[in-house]
């Protein structure tokens, strides 16, 4: 996985912060368990760096601003039915409000943000490693801000 040293340092800084209240860090490497909710025909496209991340860094709540699931779940399972335009979406993370992060299996497994407030989705990154590095930097910034205030 690209940027693994920086990602590890960011996760350690977040989880060792004085005000940390999450439950992050359980690792999972069983690919069949991780991909339990992924349609068989889509499994070959799941980003390998995502699977490496779960095995090496884990899942759980890093902060109220970001949690990582132990495997992707079809958006239709969360929305209780297919939604036009979201057929290939697999949710793998989110925050404590109304934002979900998903892979778009119909668009090269790009990472998208789904927001009920915005009423749609937006492509954030074409690869998982870049998305995670950016998201962890953001969360670390929030943690630092809280510590200073």
């Amino acid at each position: 996985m690209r940027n693994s040293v920086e990602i590890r340092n960011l996760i350690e800084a977040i989880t060792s912060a004085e005000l940390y209240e999450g439950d992050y860090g359980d690792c999972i490497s069983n690919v069949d368990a991780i991909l339990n909710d992924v349609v068989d025909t889509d499994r070959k496209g799941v980003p390998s760096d995502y699977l490496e991340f779960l095995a090496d860094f884990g899942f759980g709540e890093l902060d109220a601003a970001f949690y990582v699931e132990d495997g992707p779940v079809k958006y239709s399972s969360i929305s209780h039915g297919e939604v036009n335009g979201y057929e290939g979406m697999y949710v793998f993370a989110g925050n404590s409000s109304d934002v979900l992060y998903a892979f778009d299996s119909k668009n090269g497994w790009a990472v998208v943000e789904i927001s009920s407030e915005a009423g749609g989705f937006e492509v954030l990154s074409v690869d998982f490693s870049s998305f995670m590095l950016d998201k962890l930097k953001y969360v670390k910034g929030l943690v630092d801000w809280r510590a200073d205030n």
Side-chain angles (χ1 to χ4, degrees):
M1 174 169 198
R2 288 188 347 266
N3 306 310
S4 62
V5 171
E6 189 173 4
I7 287 172
R8 182 170 307 285
N9 290 339
L10 287 164
I11 290 171
E12 287 176 6
I14 294 165
T15 58
S16 64
E18 183 178 341
L19 299 175
Y20 176 71
E21 295 180 352
D23 65 354
Y24 187 82
D26 290 332
C27 294
I28 183 169
S29 59
N30 181 325
V31 175
D32 288 332
I34 294 169
L35 301 181
N36 185 53
D37 293 323
V38 176
V39 176
D40 288 342
T41 56
D42 288 337
R43 287 185 176 205
K44 67 182 178 300
V46 175
S48 60
D49 54 348
Y50 169 69
L51 299 172
E52 290 173 36
F53 181 88
L54 291 176
D56 295 342
F57 302 109
F59 62 93
E61 184 181 18
L62 267 168
D63 187 87
F66 191 63
Y67 65 85
V68 178
E69 298 287 354
D70 61 351
V73 177
K74 275 199 72 81
Y75 182 73
S76 61
S77 297
I78 295 168
S79 64
H80 305 294
E82 287 293 341
V83 176
N84 191 29
Y86 293 74
E87 296 85 0
M89 302 287 184
Y90 288 96
V91 175
F92 67 87
N95 68 23
S96 62
S97 60
D98 68 343
V99 175
L100 299 173
Y101 302 101
F103 292 116
D104 183 353
S105 69
K106 306 293 185 210
N107 185 22
W109 290 84
V111 176
V112 299
E113 178 180 279
I114 302 171
S115 172
S116 60
E117 263 185 35
F121 65 88
E122 173 186 359
V123 175
L124 298 178
S125 181
V126 294
D127 73 279
F128 178 76
S129 292
S130 296
F131 166 78
M132 282 307 297
L133 183 60
D134 290 344
K135 186 53 66 178
L136 292 170
K137 286 178 180 178
Y138 170 76
V139 172
K140 171 77 167 62
L142 293 175
V143 168
D144 291 344
W145 181 87
R146 283 187 210 118
D148 292 341
N149 294 292

